[in-house]
Amino acid sequence: QSVLTQPPSVSAAPGQKVTISCSGSSSNIGNNYVSWYQQLPGTAPKLLIYDNNKRPSGIPDRFSGSKSGTSATLGITGLQTGDEADYYCGTWDASLSSGRVFGGGTKLTVL
Amino acid sequence: EVQLVQSGAEVKKPGTTVKISCKVSGSTFTDYYMHWVQQAPGKGLEWMGLVHPEDTETIYAEKFQGRVTITADTSTDTAYMELSSLRSEDTAFYYCATSRSIVGATDAFDIWGQGTTVTVFS
């Protein structure tokens, strides 16, 4: 059971928009920055969004992040077949067992 | 360009210890925090712990406390993750990753290694 809750899967057609939610609590998302990672099949994860809504160099502006209270959202517009991947949210958790935590991951299918 | 290159695949027997390396190139090793992340087959990402090469500070996830040791060698710009008392559930990919801080702005894992597969098999 992951500390952060993500939907197991989402799907949409090419060219459409999709959002992936990440729900936590005041000990993690509520008081810390959220980052998002994309893991293409058979590859290492890659940073997509950091500090809630910032994109590293080279990440297209089709990818966006937002945070409100104890939840965060990853948005992807203009879906492409190459976006099919697993997506993970992550943050710091300041509870008794402090450390970095991830969501369980969301499988994106581009129909 | 910062790159993290990990050591190769390992096959281990239950009860033994594995040590994986992660060499940093293209930047100053001591500028980063080095993390290790476990990913079991078909499962999600699980943070194991970190080391700060500049002062060797370590923080370990509760789940792995007592079995994991993360170190850094500044003479070779290499981080290591040692996992002991291996069991079948430790069969997984292990990734190293860097961050600029532990918590707060720039605490995201911005660069990842290619991953090292560890198989625990009797």
Side-chain angles (χ1 to χ4, degrees), chain B residues 83-122:
Chain B
L83 188 62
S84 62
S85 303
L86 288 170
R87 38 209 189 222
S88 59
E89 310 91 89
D90 296 320
T91 293
F93 265 94
Y94 292 84
Y95 295 99
C96 59
T98 61
S99 71
R100 294 283 186 166
S101 65
I102 293 178
V103 56
T106 71
D107 68 352
F109 296 177
D110 50 3
I111 308 293
W112 293 70
Q114 84 275 20
T116 297
T117 180
V118 174
T119 303
V120 183
F121 177 64
S122 58

Side-chain angles (χ1 to χ4, degrees), chain B:
Chain B
E1 179 192 2
V2 181
Q3 282 193 314
L4 306 183
V5 178
Q6 298 183 221
S7 50
E10 301 268 7
V11 178
K12 292 290 185 179
K13 292 192 180 301
T16 62
T17 297
V18 68
K19 188 171 184 177
I20 302 169
S21 67
C22 171
K23 182 168 176 59
V24 177
S25 64
S27 190
T28 304
F29 186 48
T30 51
D31 282 349
Y32 296 96
Y33 291 84
M34 300 297 302
H35 303 258
W36 289 89
V37 176
Q38 180 193 62
Q39 187 172 37
K43 302 295 184 182
L45 306 175
E46 185 141 29
W47 180 75
M48 301 178 73
L50 67 85
V51 64
H52 190 203
E54 185 175 55
D55 58 14
T56 69
E57 173 190 12
T58 53
I59 301 176
Y60 298 125
E62 188 177 17
K63 175 180 177 178
F64 298 99
Q65 188 86 35
R67 283 208 305 141
V68 69
T69 304
I70 299 174
T71 56
D73 183 345
T74 54
S75 69
T76 59
D77 291 351
T78 303
Y80 297 91
M81 188 281 293
E82 188 173 76
L83 188 62
S84 62
S85 303
L86 288 170
R87 38 209 189 222
S88 59
E89 310 91 89
D90 296 320
T91 293
F93 265 94
Y94 292 84
Y95 295 99
C96 59
T98 61
S99 71
R100 294 283 186 166
S101 65
I102 293 178
V103 56
T106 71
D107 68 352
F109 296 177
D110 50 3
I111 308 293
W112 293 70
Q114 84 275 20
T116 297
T117 180
V118 174
T119 303
V120 183
F121 177 64
S122 58

